[in-house]
């Protein structure tokens, strides 16, 4: 990790990137580091992390996110997750309330070989009020300009 990259000396993921803590490294690029999770939800559970320390996604410069999905995709293919019989989740949490445990942005690639293995997700969807959704849409679009 070069001196121009933001890091936190106390962060476990920054220590892994710098080689201070061993890992089962998979792919490393100039801006991304990936490795097998040591508390896997399923076999092949991997983490892909930017080499820029930031607690939440919006803290990471865009250039440090460019390799995240291509590296994740390459690992998914290496795990043979590109077949129709298998599934997988790509997960990124922001904040404790959203189940983030390490305050360094990281993306999980979690193979889902069957109903009982891998990530279990509850999705409490409800029908939107279309008038309220339309108003919210207008408000959000004004902020995205």
């Amino acid at each position: 990790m070069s001196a121009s990259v933001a890091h936190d000396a106390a962060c476990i993921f920054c220590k892994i990137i710098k080689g201070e803590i061993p890992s089962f490294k998979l792919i490393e690029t100039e801006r991304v580091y990936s490795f097998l999770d040591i508390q896997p939800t399923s076999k092949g559970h991997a983490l892909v992390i930017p080499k820029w320390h930031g607690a939440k996604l919006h803290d990471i410069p865009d250039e440090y996110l460019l390799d995240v999905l291509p590296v994740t995709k390459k690992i998914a293919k290496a795990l043979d997750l590109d077949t129709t019989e298998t599934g997988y989740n790509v997960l990124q949490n922001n904040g404790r309330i959203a189940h983030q445990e390490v305050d360094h942005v990281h993306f999980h690639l979690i193979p889902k070989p069957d109903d009982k293995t891998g990530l279990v997700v509850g999705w409490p969807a409800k029908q939107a009020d279309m008038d309220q959704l339309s108003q919210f849409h207008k408000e959000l679009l004004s902020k995205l300009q």
Side-chain angles (χ1 to χ4, degrees):
M1 193 141 95
S2 69
S4 64
V5 175
H7 66 276
D8 179 335
C11 172
I12 189 169
F13 286 171
C14 289
K15 289 179 180 182
I16 288 171
I17 291 167
K18 292 187 289 183
E20 295 173 4
I21 295 176
S23 69
F24 293 96
K25 180 170 72 170
L26 298 171
I27 299 171
E28 181 175 11
T29 71
E30 181 182 347
R31 295 186 174 117
V32 167
Y33 190 95
S34 65
F35 55 101
L36 291 174
D37 195 311
I38 61 169
Q39 294 180 321
T41 303
S42 62
K43 184 178 180 180
H45 183 163
L47 297 174
V48 180
I49 59 175
K51 289 184 176 181
W52 185 280
H53 179 81
K56 295 184 177 180
L57 185 61
H58 62 268
D59 297 327
I60 307 299
D62 289 350
E63 62 269 20
Y64 283 86
L65 298 171
L66 294 175
D67 289 348
V68 169
L69 288 179
V71 166
T72 304
K73 178 180 170 183
K74 190 171 186 175
I75 296 168
K77 285 184 170 189
L79 290 167
D80 295 322
L81 300 177
D82 56 344
T83 66
T84 57
E85 296 82 35
T86 58
Y88 60 94
N89 297 93
V90 177
L91 176 68
Q92 196 274 317
N93 302 322
N94 292 277
R96 293 290 182 268
I97 196 167
H99 310 288
Q100 183 180 14
E101 293 188 19
V102 177
D103 291 330
H104 184 121
V105 168
H106 54 287
F107 296 77
H108 295 262
L109 170 62
I110 306 170
K112 183 77 174 158
D114 56 60
D115 289 341
K116 296 181 187 202
T117 309
L119 187 63
V120 178
V121 178
W123 203 276
K126 57 184 177 181
Q127 186 60 45
D129 176 297
M130 297 310 274
D131 292 333
Q132 290 177 356
L133 189 60
S134 176
Q135 181 58 39
F136 177 69
H137 177 244
K138 290 174 188 170
E139 292 170 18
L140 188 55
L141 284 178
S142 72
K143 293 178 182 180
L144 290 170
Q145 302 299 325

